[in-house]
Amino acid sequence: MNEIDIRKTKITLETTYHDRGPPLAMPLRVGCAMAVVHNPFANRYEPDLMPFQGRLRSVGERLAHELLEVMGGPDNVQAYGKGAIAGEDGEIEHAAAWHEAGGWAMRAALGAPRAIVPAAKTIGGPGTRLMVPLGHIHASYVRSHLYTAEMTLWDGPRRDELLFGLFMASGGRPYARLGGLAADQISQHDGQR
């Protein structure tokens, strides 16, 4: 039980050229790297999930580096997020093991940005669609970068599996114009403002 049993991985890249407005000067790119893994705790209660969370770091590192390669390096990433879906024989706490493992790996790959990595988790079966919140990598209060991206895999997670995902985006919402802290106004460097 020391290694994580990965059944498959998937990387997606969505590129938005416009959103019914003028063409964007730089198309918005949102990437997602996913891994569907065997859930060793399916159908049973495990009181200590910390060792499993620690082993998941290897999955986080793999996905973060693969996704960063697709995004073209850390200089092309302004927003991020993470998501997890536990199959029906799992529990929400199994999905929550991804918080530290996925968030730590993505921060390390991006050079340790300070903002919280937004997250979503749920329980579901193959094809479950999870809307994952995204936020600016350096300041959680940058309103233009608060939006969502979709995580789904047609054949996972199966009942005894977990689906973990990491997201990176090249910018904020197209045409963001509703005020709030702008990315070029980040001044506190505390992960918030």
Side-chain angles (χ1 to χ4, degrees), residues 7-81:
R7 179 167 65 86
K8 68 171 15 178
T9 61
K10 177 182 176 182
I11 295 179
T12 64
L13 181 65
E14 176 183 286
T15 304
T16 300
Y17 298 96
H18 70 84
D19 192 15
R20 298 186 176 191
L24 298 171
M26 292 293 297
L28 174 63
R29 300 173 77 223
V30 179
C32 177
M34 293 172 273
V36 62
V37 307
H38 173 70
N39 182 352
F41 312 115
N43 280 319
R44 70 179 180 88
Y45 177 78
E46 170 58 47
D48 185 6
L49 296 175
M50 294 299 286
F52 178 63
Q53 178 177 261
R55 289 192 308 276
L56 282 176
R57 280 185 165 209
S58 65
V59 178
E61 286 178 326
R62 176 179 175 171
L63 293 182
H65 286 96
E66 289 179 1
L67 183 54
L68 201 53
E69 185 176 319
V70 169
M71 294 300 294
D75 291 342
N76 296 319
V77 178
Q78 293 184 22
Y80 56 15

Side-chain angles (χ1 to χ4, degrees), residues 141-156:
Y141 283 90
V142 175
R143 193 181 299 170
S144 59
H145 287 57
L146 300 175
Y147 58 111
T148 59
E150 180 186 48
M151 183 174 107
T152 187
L153 184 66
W154 74 274
D155 67 342

Side-chain angles (χ1 to χ4, degrees), residues 71-175:
M71 294 300 294
D75 291 342
N76 296 319
V77 178
Q78 293 184 22
Y80 56 15
K82 61 185 182 286
I85 304 171
E88 296 171 34
D89 290 341
E91 62 176 277
I92 200 71
E93 197 68 1
H94 302 159
W98 190 236
H99 276 298
E100 191 273 343
W104 165 85
M106 195 154 41
R107 279 196 174 111
L110 289 169
R114 293 184 164 221
I116 189 170
V117 181
K121 56 195 160 302
T122 193
I123 295 176
T128 295
R129 298 173 66 194
L130 181 64
M131 300 309 291
V132 176
L134 303 181
H136 196 279
I137 66 171
H138 294 302
S140 298
Y141 283 90
V142 175
R143 193 181 299 170
S144 59
H145 287 57
L146 300 175
Y147 58 111
T148 59
E150 180 186 48
M151 183 174 107
T152 187
L153 184 66
W154 74 274
D155 67 342
R158 295 174 182 163
R159 296 185 71 91
D160 62 348
E161 292 179 330
L162 297 156
L163 176 60
F164 298 120
L166 297 178
F167 289 84
M168 296 179 188
S170 64
R173 298 185 312 274
Y175 324 124

